[in-house]
Coordinates of all heavy atoms in Angstrom, one line a residue:
M1 N 12.1 18.6 -6.4 CA 11.3 17.5 -6.1 C 10.1 18.0 -5.5 O 9.9 18.9 -4.9 CB 12.2 16.7 -5.0 CG 11.3 15.6 -4.5 SD 12.3 14.7 -3.2 CE 12.9 13.3 -4.2
T2 N 8.9 17.2 -6.1 CA 7.7 17.8 -5.5 C 7.1 16.7 -4.6 O 7.3 15.5 -4.8 CB 6.7 17.8 -6.7 OG1 6.7 16.6 -7.5 CG2 7.1 19.0 -7.8
A3 N 6.2 17.0 -3.7 CA 5.6 16.2 -2.7 C 4.4 15.7 -3.4 O 3.6 16.4 -4.1 CB 5.3 16.8 -1.5
T4 N 4.1 14.3 -3.1 CA 2.9 13.8 -3.5 C 1.9 13.6 -2.4 O 2.2 13.2 -1.3 CB 3.2 12.3 -4.2 OG1 4.1 12.4 -5.3 CG2 1.9 11.5 -4.6
T5 N 0.7 14.0 -2.6 CA -0.3 13.8 -1.6 C -1.0 12.5 -1.6 O -1.3 12.0 -2.7 CB -1.5 14.9 -1.9 OG1 -0.8 16.1 -1.9 CG2 -2.5 14.7 -0.8
H6 N -0.9 11.9 -0.4 CA -1.7 10.6 -0.3 C -2.8 10.6 0.6 O -2.7 11.1 1.7 CB -0.6 9.6 0.3 CG 0.6 9.4 -0.4 ND1 0.6 8.4 -1.6 CD2 1.8 9.9 -0.4 CE1 1.9 8.5 -2.0 NE2 2.6 9.4 -1.4
A7 N -4.0 10.2 0.1 CA -5.2 10.1 0.9 C -5.3 8.8 1.7 O -5.4 7.8 1.2 CB -6.4 10.3 -0.1
R8 N -4.9 8.9 3.0 CA -4.8 7.7 3.8 C -6.2 7.1 4.0 O -7.1 7.9 4.2 CB -4.2 8.1 5.1 CG -3.8 6.9 5.9 CD -3.0 7.4 7.1 NE -2.4 6.2 7.8 CZ -1.3 6.1 8.4 NH1 -0.6 7.3 8.6 NH2 -1.0 5.1 9.1
A9 N -6.4 5.8 3.8 CA -7.6 5.2 3.9 C -7.9 5.0 5.3 O -7.0 4.9 6.3 CB -7.6 3.8 3.3
E10 N -9.2 4.9 5.7 CA -9.5 4.4 7.1 C -8.9 3.2 7.7 O -8.8 2.4 6.9 CB -11.1 4.5 7.2 CG -11.9 3.3 6.7 CD -12.0 3.2 5.2 OE1 -11.6 4.2 4.5 OE2 -12.8 2.2 4.9
E11 N -8.8 3.2 9.0 CA -8.2 1.9 9.5 C -9.2 0.9 9.7 O -10.5 1.2 9.8 CB -7.7 2.3 11.0 CG -6.5 3.4 11.0 CD -5.2 2.8 10.4 OE1 -4.9 1.5 10.5 OE2 -4.4 3.5 9.9
H12 N -8.9 -0.4 9.5 CA -9.9 -1.5 9.8 C -9.3 -2.3 10.9 O -8.2 -3.0 10.7 CB -9.8 -2.3 8.5 CG -10.3 -1.5 7.2 ND1 -11.6 -1.1 7.1 CD2 -9.7 -1.2 6.1 CE1 -11.7 -0.5 6.0 NE2 -10.6 -0.4 5.4
E13 N -10.1 -2.3 12.0 CA -9.7 -3.0 13.2 C -9.5 -4.5 12.8 O -10.4 -5.1 12.3 CB -10.7 -2.8 14.3 CG -10.1 -3.4 15.6 CD -11.1 -3.0 16.8 OE1 -11.7 -1.9 16.7 OE2 -11.1 -3.8 17.7
H14 N -8.3 -5.1 13.1 CA -8.2 -6.6 13.0 C -8.3 -7.1 11.6 O -8.7 -8.1 11.2 CB -9.1 -7.4 13.8 CG -9.3 -7.1 15.2 ND1 -8.2 -7.2 16.0 CD2 -10.2 -6.4 16.0 CE1 -8.4 -6.7 17.3 NE2 -9.8 -6.2 17.1
H15 N -7.8 -6.2 10.7 CA -7.9 -6.6 9.2 C -6.6 -6.1 8.5 O -6.3 -4.9 8.6 CB -9.1 -6.1 8.5 CG -9.1 -6.5 7.1 ND1 -9.6 -7.7 6.8 CD2 -8.9 -5.9 5.9 CE1 -9.6 -7.8 5.3 NE2 -9.1 -6.7 4.9
T16 N -6.0 -6.9 7.8 CA -4.9 -6.5 6.9 C -5.2 -7.0 5.4 O -5.6 -8.2 5.2 CB -3.5 -7.1 7.2 OG1 -3.3 -6.6 8.6 CG2 -2.4 -6.7 6.4
H17 N -5.2 -6.1 4.5 CA -5.4 -6.6 3.2 C -4.4 -7.6 2.7 O -3.1 -7.3 2.9 CB -5.6 -5.4 2.2 CG -6.7 -4.6 2.4 ND1 -8.1 -4.9 2.3 CD2 -6.8 -3.2 2.7 CE1 -8.9 -4.0 2.5 NE2 -8.2 -2.9 2.8
G18 N -4.8 -8.5 1.9 CA -3.8 -9.4 1.3 C -4.6 -10.7 0.7 O -5.8 -10.7 0.8
P19 N -3.8 -11.6 0.1 CA -4.4 -12.8 -0.4 C -5.4 -13.5 0.6 O -4.9 -13.7 1.8 CB -3.1 -13.7 -0.9 CG -2.1 -12.8 -1.0 CD -2.3 -11.6 0.1
G20 N -6.5 -13.8 0.3 CA -7.5 -14.3 1.1 C -8.2 -13.5 2.2 O -8.8 -14.1 3.1
C21 N -8.1 -12.2 2.1 CA -8.7 -11.3 3.1 C -10.2 -11.1 2.9 O -10.8 -10.6 3.7 CB -7.9 -10.0 3.0 SG -8.4 -8.8 1.7
G22 N -10.6 -11.6 1.7 CA -12.1 -11.5 1.5 C -12.5 -10.3 0.5 O -13.6 -10.1 0.2
H23 N -11.6 -9.4 0.2 CA -11.8 -8.2 -0.6 C -11.4 -8.6 -2.1 O -10.3 -9.3 -2.2 CB -11.1 -6.9 -0.1 CG -11.8 -6.6 1.2 ND1 -11.0 -6.5 2.2 CD2 -13.0 -6.2 1.4 CE1 -11.8 -6.0 3.2 NE2 -13.0 -5.9 2.8
E24 N -12.0 -8.1 -3.0 CA -11.6 -8.3 -4.4 C -10.3 -7.5 -4.5 O -10.2 -6.4 -4.0 CB -12.7 -7.7 -5.4 CG -12.3 -7.8 -6.9 CD -13.3 -7.1 -7.7 OE1 -14.3 -6.7 -7.4 OE2 -13.0 -7.1 -9.0
S25 N -9.3 -8.1 -5.4 CA -8.1 -7.3 -5.5 C -7.8 -7.3 -7.0 O -8.3 -8.2 -7.7 CB -7.0 -8.0 -4.9 OG -6.8 -9.3 -5.2
V26 N -7.1 -6.3 -7.4 CA -6.6 -6.2 -8.8 C -5.2 -5.5 -9.0 O -4.9 -4.6 -8.1 CB -7.6 -5.4 -9.8 CG1 -7.8 -3.9 -9.2 CG2 -7.4 -5.4 -11.2
V27 N -4.4 -6.0 -9.8 CA -3.2 -5.4 -10.0 C -3.4 -3.9 -10.9 O -4.2 -4.0 -11.8 CB -2.2 -6.3 -10.9 CG1 -0.9 -5.5 -11.3 CG2 -2.0 -7.6 -10.2
H28 N -2.8 -3.0 -10.2 CA -2.9 -1.8 -10.9 C -1.6 -1.1 -11.1 O -1.0 -0.5 -10.1 CB -3.9 -0.7 -10.0 CG -3.9 0.6 -10.6 ND1 -4.2 1.7 -9.8 CD2 -4.0 1.1 -11.8 CE1 -4.3 2.8 -10.5 NE2 -4.2 2.5 -11.8
N29 N -1.0 -1.1 -12.3 CA 0.4 -0.8 -12.5 C 1.3 -1.5 -11.5 O 1.5 -2.6 -11.7 CB 0.5 0.8 -12.5 CG -0.3 1.3 -13.5 OD1 -0.4 0.7 -14.6 ND2 -0.9 2.6 -13.4
D30 N 2.0 -0.8 -10.7 CA 3.0 -1.4 -9.8 C 2.7 -1.8 -8.4 O 3.3 -1.9 -7.5 CB 4.3 -0.4 -9.6 CG 3.7 1.0 -9.0 OD1 2.7 1.1 -8.7 OD2 4.8 1.7 -8.8
H31 N 1.2 -1.9 -8.2 CA 0.8 -2.2 -6.9 C -0.5 -3.1 -6.9 O -1.0 -3.2 -8.1 CB 0.5 -1.0 -6.1 CG -0.5 0.0 -6.6 ND1 -0.2 0.9 -7.5 CD2 -1.8 0.0 -6.3 CE1 -1.3 1.6 -7.9 NE2 -2.3 1.0 -7.2
V32 N -1.0 -3.5 -5.8 CA -2.2 -4.3 -5.9 C -3.3 -3.3 -5.0 O -3.1 -2.8 -4.1 CB -2.2 -5.5 -5.1 CG1 -3.6 -6.3 -5.0 CG2 -1.2 -6.5 -5.8
D33 N -4.5 -3.2 -5.7 CA -5.6 -2.4 -5.0 C -6.7 -3.5 -4.5 O -6.9 -4.5 -5.1 CB -6.4 -1.6 -6.1 CG -5.6 -0.3 -6.3 OD1 -5.0 0.3 -5.4 OD2 -5.7 0.2 -7.5
Y34 N -7.2 -3.1 -3.3 CA -8.2 -4.0 -2.6 C -9.4 -3.2 -2.6 O -9.4 -2.2 -2.0 CB -7.7 -4.3 -1.1 CG -6.6 -5.3 -1.2 CD1 -5.3 -4.9 -1.3 CD2 -6.7 -6.8 -1.5 CE1 -4.0 -5.7 -1.3 CE2 -5.6 -7.7 -1.6 CZ -4.3 -7.0 -1.5 OH -3.3 -7.9 -1.6
F35 N -10.5 -3.8 -3.1 CA -11.8 -3.0 -3.1 C -12.5 -3.2 -1.9 O -12.7 -4.2 -1.3 CB -12.6 -3.5 -4.3 CG -12.1 -3.1 -5.7 CD1 -11.4 -4.0 -6.4 CD2 -12.3 -1.8 -6.1 CE1 -10.9 -3.6 -7.7 CE2 -11.8 -1.4 -7.4 CZ -11.0 -2.4 -8.2
H36 N -12.9 -2.1 -1.2 CA -13.5 -2.0 0.1 C -14.5 -0.9 0.2 O -14.1 0.2 0.1 CB -12.5 -1.9 1.2 CG -13.0 -2.1 2.6 ND1 -13.6 -1.1 3.2 CD2 -13.0 -3.2 3.4 CE1 -14.0 -1.5 4.3 NE2 -13.6 -2.8 4.5
G37 N -15.8 -1.3 0.4 CA -16.7 -0.1 0.7 C -16.9 0.9 -0.5 O -17.2 2.1 -0.3
G38 N -16.7 0.4 -1.8 CA -16.9 1.3 -2.8 C -15.7 2.0 -3.3 O -15.8 2.8 -4.2
H39 N -14.6 1.7 -2.8 CA -13.2 2.4 -3.1 C -12.2 1.4 -3.1 O -12.3 0.3 -2.7 CB -13.1 3.7 -2.4 CG -13.3 3.4 -0.9 ND1 -12.2 3.5 0.1 CD2 -14.4 3.2 -0.1 CE1 -12.7 3.3 1.3 NE2 -14.0 3.1 1.2
A40 N -10.9 1.9 -3.5 CA -9.9 0.9 -3.6 C -8.8 1.4 -2.6 O -8.4 2.6 -2.6 CB -9.3 0.9 -5.0
H41 N -8.2 0.3 -2.0 CA -7.0 0.7 -1.0 C -5.8 0.0 -1.5 O -5.8 -1.0 -2.2 CB -7.3 0.1 0.4 CG -8.5 0.6 1.1 ND1 -8.9 0.1 2.2 CD2 -9.1 1.8 0.9 CE1 -9.9 0.8 2.7 NE2 -10.0 1.8 1.8
R42 N -4.7 0.9 -1.3 CA -3.4 0.3 -1.8 C -2.4 0.5 -0.7 O -2.4 1.5 0.1 CB -2.8 0.9 -3.0 CG -2.6 2.5 -2.9 CD -2.0 3.1 -4.2 NE -0.6 2.7 -4.2 CZ 0.2 3.2 -5.0 NH1 -0.2 4.2 -5.8 NH2 1.6 2.8 -5.0
E43 N -1.4 -0.5 -0.5 CA -0.4 -0.4 0.6 C 0.6 0.6 0.3 O 1.0 0.8 -0.9 CB 0.2 -1.8 0.8 CG 1.1 -2.0 2.0 CD 2.5 -1.3 2.0 OE1 3.0 -1.3 0.9 OE2 2.9 -0.8 3.0
H44 N 0.9 1.4 1.3 CA 1.9 2.4 1.1 C 2.6 2.8 2.4 O 2.0 3.2 3.4 CB 1.3 3.7 0.5 CG 2.1 4.9 0.4 ND1 3.1 5.0 -0.5 CD2 2.4 6.1 1.3 CE1 3.7 6.2 -0.3 NE2 3.3 6.8 0.9
A45 N 3.8 2.4 2.5 CA 4.9 2.6 3.6 C 4.1 2.2 4.9 O 4.1 3.1 6.0 CB 5.0 4.3 3.7
G46 N 3.6 1.0 5.0 CA 3.1 0.5 6.2 C 1.6 0.9 6.5 O 1.1 0.3 7.6
H47 N 0.9 1.6 5.7 CA -0.4 1.8 5.9 C -1.2 1.7 4.4 O -0.6 1.5 3.5 CB -0.6 3.2 6.6 CG -0.2 4.4 5.7 ND1 1.1 4.7 5.7 CD2 -0.8 5.1 4.7 CE1 1.2 5.8 4.7 NE2 0.1 6.0 4.2
Y48 N -2.4 2.0 4.5 CA -3.1 1.9 3.2 C -3.8 3.3 2.8 O -4.1 4.2 3.6 CB -4.4 1.1 3.3 CG -3.9 -0.4 3.3 CD1 -3.6 -1.1 4.7 CD2 -3.7 -1.1 2.2 CE1 -3.1 -2.3 4.6 CE2 -3.2 -2.3 2.2 CZ -3.0 -3.0 3.4 OH -2.5 -4.4 3.5
D49 N -3.5 3.5 1.5 CA -3.9 4.9 1.0 C -5.1 4.5 0.0 O -5.3 3.5 -0.6 CB -2.9 5.6 0.0 CG -1.9 6.2 0.9 OD1 -1.9 6.5 2.0 OD2 -0.8 6.5 0.3
E50 N -6.0 5.6 -0.3 CA -7.0 5.5 -1.3 C -6.2 5.5 -2.6 O -5.4 6.2 -2.9 CB -8.0 6.6 -1.2 CG -8.8 6.7 0.1 CD -9.8 5.6 0.2 OE1 -10.3 5.0 -0.7 OE2 -10.1 5.4 1.2
C51 N -6.6 4.7 -3.5 CA -5.9 4.7 -4.9 C -6.6 5.8 -5.7 O -7.7 6.4 -5.3 CB -6.0 3.4 -5.6 SG -4.8 3.2 -6.8
T52 N -6.0 6.0 -6.8 CA -6.5 7.1 -7.8 C -7.9 6.9 -8.3 O -8.2 5.7 -8.5 CB -5.5 7.3 -9.0 OG1 -5.4 5.9 -9.6 CG2 -4.1 7.7 -8.5
T53 N -8.6 7.9 -8.5 CA -9.9 7.8 -9.0 C -9.9 8.1 -10.6 O -9.2 9.1 -10.9 CB -10.7 8.9 -8.3 OG1 -10.9 8.7 -7.0 CG2 -12.3 8.9 -9.0
C54 N -10.7 7.3 -11.2 CA -10.7 7.5 -12.7 C -11.0 8.9 -13.2 O -12.0 9.4 -12.7 CB -11.5 6.5 -13.4 SG -11.3 6.6 -15.3
Q55 N -10.3 9.5 -14.1 CA -10.6 10.9 -14.6 C -11.4 11.0 -15.8 O -11.6 12.1 -16.2 CB -9.3 11.7 -14.7 CG -8.5 11.8 -13.4 CD -7.1 12.3 -13.7 OE1 -6.8 12.9 -14.8 NE2 -6.2 12.2 -12.9
C56 N -11.9 9.9 -16.4 CA -12.6 10.0 -17.6 C -14.0 10.4 -17.2 O -14.6 10.2 -16.1 CB -12.5 8.7 -18.4 SG -13.6 7.4 -17.8
S57 N -14.8 10.8 -18.2 CA -16.2 11.3 -18.0 C -17.2 10.2 -17.8 O -18.3 10.4 -17.4 CB -16.6 12.3 -19.1 OG -16.6 11.4 -20.4
N58 N -16.8 9.0 -18.0 CA -17.7 7.9 -18.0 C -17.7 7.1 -16.5 O -18.5 6.3 -16.2 CB -17.4 6.8 -18.9 CG -17.5 7.2 -20.3 OD1 -18.4 8.1 -20.5 ND2 -16.7 6.9 -21.2
C59 N -16.7 7.4 -15.6 CA -16.4 6.7 -14.4 C -16.5 7.8 -13.2 O -16.3 8.9 -13.3 CB -15.1 6.2 -14.4 SG -14.8 4.8 -15.5
E60 N -16.8 7.1 -12.1 CA -16.7 7.8 -10.8 C -15.9 7.1 -9.7 O -15.7 7.5 -8.6 CB -18.1 8.0 -10.3 CG -18.9 9.0 -11.1 CD -20.3 9.2 -10.5 OE1 -20.6 8.9 -9.4 OE2 -21.1 9.9 -11.3
G61 N -15.4 5.9 -10.2 CA -14.6 5.0 -9.3 C -13.3 4.9 -9.4 O -12.7 5.8 -10.1
A62 N -12.6 4.0 -8.7 CA -11.0 3.9 -8.7 C -10.6 3.3 -10.2 O -11.4 2.5 -10.8 CB -10.7 2.9 -7.7
C63 N -9.5 3.8 -10.6 CA -8.9 3.4 -11.8 C -8.8 1.9 -11.9 O -9.0 1.3 -12.9 CB -7.5 4.0 -11.9 SG -7.5 5.7 -12.4
A64 N -8.4 1.2 -10.8 CA -8.3 -0.3 -10.8 C -9.6 -0.9 -11.2 O -9.6 -2.0 -11.7 CB -7.8 -0.6 -9.4
G65 N -10.7 -0.3 -11.0 CA -12.0 -1.1 -11.3 C -12.7 -0.4 -12.6 O -13.7 -0.9 -13.1
C66 N -12.0 0.5 -13.3 CA -12.5 1.0 -14.5 C -12.4 0.0 -15.7 O -11.6 -0.7 -15.9 CB -11.6 2.3 -14.9 SG -12.2 2.9 -16.5
R67 N -13.6 -0.1 -16.2 CA -13.9 -0.9 -17.4 C -14.3 -0.4 -18.7 O -14.9 -0.9 -19.6 CB -14.9 -2.0 -17.1 CG -14.6 -2.8 -15.7 CD -13.4 -3.8 -16.1 NE -13.1 -4.5 -14.8 CZ -12.1 -4.3 -13.9 NH1 -11.3 -3.2 -14.1 NH2 -11.9 -5.0 -12.9
C68 N -14.1 1.0 -18.8 CA -14.5 1.8 -20.0 C -13.7 1.4 -21.0 O -12.5 1.3 -21.1 CB -14.4 3.3 -19.7 SG -15.3 3.9 -18.4
T69 N -14.4 1.2 -22.3 CA -13.7 0.9 -23.5 C -13.2 2.1 -24.2 O -12.2 2.0 -25.0 CB -14.7 0.1 -24.6 OG1 -15.8 1.0 -24.8 CG2 -15.2 -1.2 -23.9
D70 N -13.5 3.3 -23.8 CA -13.0 4.5 -24.4 C -12.4 5.4 -23.3 O -12.4 6.7 -23.5 CB -14.0 5.3 -25.2 CG -15.3 5.7 -24.3 OD1 -15.3 5.2 -23.1 OD2 -16.2 6.4 -24.7
C71 N -11.9 5.0 -22.3 CA -11.2 5.6 -21.2 C -10.1 6.5 -21.6 O -9.3 6.1 -22.4 CB -10.8 4.6 -20.1 SG -10.2 5.4 -18.6
T72 N -10.1 7.7 -21.2 CA -9.0 8.6 -21.5 C -8.1 9.1 -20.3 O -7.3 9.9 -20.3 CB -9.5 9.9 -22.1 OG1 -10.5 10.5 -21.1 CG2 -10.3 9.7 -23.4
C73 N -8.4 8.3 -19.2 CA -7.7 8.7 -17.9 C -6.2 8.2 -18.0 O -6.0 7.0 -18.4 CB -8.4 7.9 -16.7 SG -7.5 8.1 -15.2
P74 N -5.2 9.0 -17.6 CA -3.8 8.6 -17.7 C -3.4 7.7 -16.7 O -2.3 7.1 -16.8 CB -3.1 10.0 -17.5 CG -4.0 10.8 -16.7 CD -5.4 10.4 -17.3
N75 N -4.2 7.4 -15.7 CA -3.8 6.5 -14.5 C -4.5 5.1 -14.8 O -4.1 4.1 -14.1 CB -4.3 6.9 -13.1 CG -3.5 8.3 -12.8 OD1 -2.5 8.3 -12.9 ND2 -4.4 9.3 -12.4
C76 N -5.3 4.9 -15.8 CA -5.9 3.6 -16.0 C -5.1 2.9 -17.1 O -4.4 3.7 -17.9 CB -7.4 3.8 -16.7 SG -8.5 4.3 -15.4
N77 N -5.1 1.6 -17.2 CA -4.2 0.9 -18.2 C -5.1 -0.3 -18.6 O -5.0 -1.3 -18.2 CB -2.8 0.4 -17.5 CG -1.9 -0.1 -18.5 OD1 -2.3 -0.2 -19.7 ND2 -0.9 -0.5 -18.1
H78 N -5.7 -0.1 -19.9 CA -6.5 -1.0 -20.4 C -5.9 -1.8 -21.6 O -6.6 -2.6 -22.2 CB -7.8 -0.4 -20.9 CG -8.7 0.3 -19.7 ND1 -9.2 -0.5 -18.9 CD2 -9.0 1.6 -19.5 CE1 -10.1 0.2 -18.0 NE2 -9.7 1.6 -18.4
G79 N -4.7 -1.6 -21.9 CA -4.1 -2.1 -23.0 C -4.1 -3.7 -22.9 O -4.2 -4.2 -21.7
T80 N -3.9 -4.4 -24.0 CA -3.8 -5.8 -24.0 C -2.3 -6.2 -23.9 O -1.5 -5.8 -24.7 CB -4.5 -6.5 -25.2 OG1 -5.8 -6.2 -25.2 CG2 -4.3 -8.1 -25.2
C81 N -1.8 -6.9 -23.0 CA -0.3 -7.3 -22.8 C 0.0 -8.1 -24.0 O -0.6 -8.9 -24.4 CB -0.2 -8.2 -21.6 SG 1.6 -8.3 -21.3
S82 N 1.2 -7.6 -24.5 CA 1.7 -8.3 -25.7 C 2.9 -9.2 -25.4 O 3.4 -9.9 -26.2 CB 2.1 -7.3 -26.8 OG 3.2 -6.5 -26.2
C83 N 3.2 -9.5 -24.2 CA 4.4 -10.5 -23.9 C 3.9 -11.9 -24.0 O 2.6 -12.1 -24.1 CB 4.8 -10.2 -22.5 SG 3.9 -10.9 -21.1
T84 N 4.7 -12.7 -24.3 CA 4.3 -14.2 -24.5 C 3.8 -14.9 -23.3 O 3.1 -15.9 -23.6 CB 5.5 -14.9 -25.1 OG1 6.6 -14.9 -24.0 CG2 6.0 -14.3 -26.3
N85 N 3.9 -14.3 -22.1 CA 3.4 -15.1 -21.0 C 2.0 -14.9 -20.7 O 1.3 -15.6 -19.9 CB 4.3 -14.8 -19.8 CG 5.8 -15.0 -20.0 OD1 6.1 -16.0 -20.4 ND2 6.6 -14.3 -19.3
C86 N 1.5 -13.8 -21.1 CA 0.1 -13.4 -20.6 C -1.1 -14.0 -21.5 O -2.2 -14.0 -21.1 CB 0.0 -11.9 -20.6 SG 0.9 -11.2 -19.2
G87 N -0.7 -14.2 -22.7 CA -1.8 -14.7 -23.7 C -2.9 -13.8 -23.9 O -4.1 -14.2 -23.7
G88 N -2.8 -12.5 -24.1 CA -3.9 -11.5 -24.3 C -4.5 -11.1 -23.1 O -5.5 -10.4 -23.2
E89 N -3.9 -11.3 -21.9 CA -4.4 -10.6 -20.6 C -4.5 -9.2 -20.7 O -3.5 -8.6 -21.3 CB -3.6 -11.2 -19.5 CG -4.2 -10.9 -18.2 CD -5.4 -11.6 -17.8 OE1 -5.6 -12.7 -18.0 OE2 -6.3 -11.0 -17.1
S90 N -5.2 -8.5 -20.0 CA -5.1 -7.1 -19.8 C -3.8 -6.6 -19.2 O -3.3 -7.3 -18.3 CB -6.3 -6.6 -18.9 OG -6.1 -5.3 -18.4
C91 N -3.2 -5.5 -19.6 CA -2.1 -4.9 -19.0 C -2.2 -4.7 -17.5 O -1.3 -4.8 -16.7 CB -1.6 -3.6 -19.7 SG -0.9 -4.0 -21.4
A92 N -3.4 -4.3 -17.2 CA -3.7 -4.0 -15.7 C -3.6 -5.2 -15.0 O -3.3 -5.1 -13.7 CB -5.1 -3.5 -15.6
N93 N -3.7 -6.4 -15.3 CA -3.5 -7.7 -14.7 C -2.2 -8.4 -14.8 O -2.0 -9.5 -14.3 CB -4.6 -8.7 -15.0 CG -6.0 -8.2 -14.7 OD1 -6.0 -7.5 -13.7 ND2 -7.1 -8.4 -15.4
C94 N -1.4 -7.8 -15.6 CA 0.0 -8.5 -15.9 C 0.9 -8.3 -14.8 O 1.0 -7.3 -14.1 CB 0.6 -7.8 -17.2 SG 2.3 -8.6 -17.5
T95 N 1.5 -9.5 -14.4 CA 2.5 -9.4 -13.1 C 3.7 -10.1 -13.6 O 4.5 -10.4 -12.6 CB 1.9 -10.1 -11.9 OG1 1.5 -11.5 -12.3 CG2 0.6 -9.4 -11.4
C96 N 4.0 -10.3 -14.8 CA 5.2 -10.9 -15.3 C 6.5 -10.2 -15.0 O 6.6 -9.0 -15.3 CB 5.2 -11.1 -16.9 SG 3.8 -12.1 -17.6
A97 N 7.4 -10.9 -14.4 CA 8.6 -10.3 -13.9 C 9.5 -9.9 -15.2 O 10.3 -9.0 -15.2 CB 9.4 -11.1 -13.1
D98 N 9.4 -10.6 -16.3 CA 10.2 -10.3 -17.5 C 9.3 -9.8 -18.6 O 9.7 -9.8 -19.7 CB 10.9 -11.7 -17.9 CG 9.9 -12.7 -18.3 OD1 8.6 -12.7 -17.9 OD2 10.3 -13.8 -18.8
C99 N 8.3 -9.1 -18.2 CA 7.3 -8.5 -19.2 C 8.1 -7.5 -20.2 O 8.8 -6.7 -19.6 CB 6.2 -7.8 -18.7 SG 5.1 -7.2 -19.8
D100 N 7.9 -7.7 -21.4 CA 8.6 -6.7 -22.4 C 7.5 -5.8 -23.2 O 7.7 -5.3 -24.2 CB 9.5 -7.5 -23.4 CG 8.7 -8.5 -24.2 OD1 7.5 -8.7 -24.0 OD2 9.4 -9.1 -25.0
C101 N 6.2 -5.9 -22.7 CA 5.0 -5.2 -23.3 C 5.3 -3.7 -23.2 O 5.5 -3.2 -22.1 CB 3.7 -5.7 -22.7 SG 2.4 -4.8 -23.2
P102 N 5.2 -3.0 -24.2 CA 5.5 -1.5 -24.1 C 4.3 -0.7 -23.5 O 4.4 0.5 -23.1 CB 5.5 -1.1 -25.7 CG 4.8 -2.1 -26.5 CD 5.0 -3.4 -25.5
T103 N 3.2 -1.4 -23.3 CA 2.1 -0.7 -22.7 C 1.8 -1.0 -21.3 O 1.0 -0.4 -20.6 CB 0.6 -0.9 -23.4 OG1 0.2 -2.2 -23.5 CG2 0.9 -0.1 -24.8
C104 N 2.4 -2.0 -20.8 CA 2.3 -2.3 -19.3 C 3.2 -1.4 -18.5 O 4.2 -0.9 -18.9 CB 2.8 -3.7 -19.1 SG 1.7 -5.1 -19.6
A105 N 2.7 -1.0 -17.3 CA 3.2 -0.1 -16.4 C 3.5 -0.6 -15.0 O 3.6 0.2 -14.1 CB 2.6 1.2 -16.4
H106 N 3.7 -1.8 -14.9 CA 3.8 -2.4 -13.5 C 5.4 -2.5 -13.2 O 6.2 -2.4 -14.1 CB 3.3 -3.9 -13.6 CG 3.9 -4.8 -14.6 ND1 5.0 -5.4 -14.4 CD2 3.3 -5.2 -15.7 CE1 5.3 -6.3 -15.3 NE2 4.2 -6.3 -16.1
G107 N 5.6 -2.8 -12.0 CA 6.9 -3.0 -11.5 C 7.7 -4.2 -11.8 O 8.8 -4.4 -11.6
G108 N 7.0 -5.2 -12.2 CA 7.6 -6.5 -12.6 C 8.1 -7.3 -11.4 O 8.5 -7.2 -10.5

């Protein structure tokens, strides 16, 4: 078993990320990222971590915010969802519990 390094995000006094918190949010695979101060935070074990940074040569930001059409980063998911519920929505935004799309990587 290997240990995964988590880059813990800075604390925000009197603020918890969630619906209506005022920060832009996007589904990124099996979690939600909240954009704050030029980076993305994701909830992890009762605190927030910095989410992954896009590894393609065109980006410098978080994978959740990557809009490259030719992205090669293994952590980004730009595919178009093929399940019947999404109607052509991006895989990165799919939250269907019964999704059968082969390119979606969310927890459902």
Side-chain angles (χ1 to χ4, degrees):
M1 179 180 261
T2 60
T4 302
T5 302
H6 297 276
R8 196 168 183 152
E10 74 277 5
E11 296 290 328
H12 300 290
E13 188 173 332
H14 307 293
H15 181 81
T16 301
H17 291 302
C21 76
H23 293 120
E24 179 187 358
S25 61
V26 66
V27 174
H28 180 211
N29 296 331
D30 64 349
H31 62 274
V32 176
D33 283 323
Y34 295 91
F35 292 99
H36 184 280
H39 45 110
H41 295 169
R42 65 175 283 188
E43 193 278 327
H44 172 78
H47 63 273
Y48 288 90
D49 287 341
E50 297 291 337
C51 198
T52 53
T53 300
C54 184
Q55 299 172 18
C56 78
S57 60
N58 299 321
C59 292
E60 293 181 12
C63 286
C66 177
R67 303 290 180 259
C68 298
T69 56
D70 59 348
C71 184
T72 58
C73 176
N75 295 313
C76 291
N77 190 358
H78 297 290
T80 301
C81 185
S82 64
C83 79
T84 57
N85 299 325
C86 286
E89 185 74 37
S90 159
C91 287
N93 293 326
C94 177
T95 58
C96 299
D98 60 346
C99 183
D100 60 0
C101 176
T103 60
C104 283
H106 59 77

